[in-house]
Amino acid sequence: MQIILIFGIILILGLVCGRLFEKIGIPQVVGYIIIGVILGDSITHVIPHKLLDNLSPLTSIALAFIGFMVGGELKYSTFRKYGKQFFAILFSEGLMTMLLVTTVTILWTGNVALGILLGALSSATAPAATVDVLWEYHSRGPLTSTIMAIVALDDGLALILYGFAFAFAKALVANNALSLKIMLLQPLIEIFGSIAVGVILGFFLDKASQFVKKSDDKLVINTGAILLASGIAVYFHLSFILTNMILGFYLTNINPHRNESNFESIKAFVPPIYILFFIFVGARVNLGLLPKMGMIGLLYVIGRTAGKYIGAFFGAKFSRSPKGVQKYLGFALLSQAGVAIGLALDIYQNFGQFGVEGAQIGNTVINVIAATTFLVQIFGPPLVKFAISKAGEIPPQNKKDLTSGGKND
Amino acid sequence: MIKKVVNEFKPYEPAIIVEEGSLIIDMVKMFIEHPPMHHICVVDNNGKLKGLINRKRIFQAVFSHHVAADSMISQLYTLHTAEKAEELMISYVLTVQENENINDVIKRMIDNDLNEIPVVDEERNMLGFLTTIHILEKWWEEEKNDQV
């Protein structure tokens, strides 16, 4: 089938399916992945594997946009009021989740690189799916505010952890013979190089933004900067996702209000790219491999759930957050979607070049993340509802929804 | 509109002014009491303009549960948790000064899709709003005189 026709079909199918899923309280991303699985080599072969390989630049561009938008969320001025409290919780839940998922994966598979990569991905949370439930019940209070802050920030933490994990895992898989010193040095060069490129480009983009007033021009200059950042990062073997995250982070913090329109212009432009991207992720899922990965998937979900709960509990306790936050925050941080899936595809695309072990890691990660995303979307939203209800943050007039069956029941 | 400058459009539309610590609930009341006003000006202790809050933003803050959940989460957080003017205001504000050429101002208003723009002095003290109606009124008068 000709490629333009495929693009047209998958965009329209993806949109329809995404909206249908949204109606029943499941994130649109899951709908896109299902369409991808149906159109992929596992079922109908409409999107063959070879085509996916040829389209890898498109998926890299989508990842660059994701990185940029995640960076844009890390606005210090927004979260400074409860900064210490939020950051204590963020690091506690993010690192604890990574630690537990990494540990259980290594204990089960014996594969250190796979463990570190899955651990880094596990710290990400899906903001939209979580906020959907908060909005539905008009929830308001300290737990609600903390949930929103943590889901805004922990995709950023996940990208940073991923930057380290990716570089370290790559060094492990690609350079078995190298010394520990070089294996530690490579990730550091990659991380700090990405930060430097992101900051330098952010500086110039911020200066240029002063003179660009028209929204069309803003879109062009921002897209250009994102592609430039990605190209430079790839050329110097840096992390282009992290580079773009730093670019977004720099812009949103150096001039928060002036640069708000930069993110709005990109946000309005990316939906078709995101739909294609997530459908391509689904198309890469190999249904035949899923039964073999059942145990890793199960361990991943258990480790991630325990890590989120324990980490959030201790972080909240340490920062003296209200009791409701300490007891229930962990229940509300389980949804997983865009960022984890995007990073899984990045691993799949990059580790294929490192022989059989690399390809195996890529396959495992993309299948585990895609399958567990479905699973956590089943029990994630009801647990958010449970948390805000137990913390007493649902106004009385909205409580009837809890017994009469809300959208997410 | 050749050679006209901003101060020829006086009197400007008076501005509602609040301090940074003003509560959102009080600002809602101000909008209700002044239906024609689209903006509230937030000033510091010295009266200098720090930011603007428009009616749409107050509306979104009050009804934050209806703002699309897939919007930028940092913006949702601001709308949902803001209690005071300083937390909700937009601090990147386009302003004009009284000696500026009106044609430059008109271009700026069209480029940025503005119905009104704050007029400030050199110290950034708020003098009032220049609105599209002020400018159209002047233009209409000129047209009428030309026809006569």
Side-chain angles (χ1 to χ4, degrees), chain A residues 72-73 78-79 81-82 86 128 131-132 134-135 138-140 144-145 148-149 152 213 257-258 260 263 267, chain B residues 61-62 64-78 80-81 83 87 89-92 111:
Chain A
E73 299 283 18
T78 303
F79 302 107
K81 194 169 168 188
Y82 299 105
F86 289 160
V131 172
D132 251 337
L134 303 178
W135 271 194
H138 292 215
S139 166
R140 199 175 278 277
T144 305
S145 303
M148 291 180 75
K213 302 293 179 199
H257 287 114
R258 194 180 69 206
E260 209 165 86
F263 296 99
K267 197 168 182 342
Chain B
V62 172
S64 57
H65 292 111
H66 297 285
V67 180
D70 61 354
S71 307
M72 284 190 78
I73 184 83
S74 52
Q75 287 180 22
L76 293 180
Y77 179 86
T78 300
H80 190 70
T81 60
E83 291 169 352
E87 295 164 28
M89 69 184 185
I90 300 291
S91 57
Y92 177 63
D111 283 349

Side-chain angles (χ1 to χ4, degrees), chain A residues 52 55-64 240 277 280 284 345 349:
Chain A
L52 292 173
L55 291 172
S56 63
L58 182 77
T59 53
S60 299
I61 289 170
L63 279 168
F240 69 90
F277 174 78
F280 291 162
R284 286 186 190 275
L345 185 58
Q349 287 189 171

Side-chain angles (χ1 to χ4, degrees), chain A residues 300-318:
Chain A
Y300 173 87
V301 171
I302 293 170
R304 185 172 180 273
T305 306
K308 288 277 178 193
Y309 187 82
I310 298 166
F313 176 78
F314 283 112
K317 201 168 179 64
F318 174 75

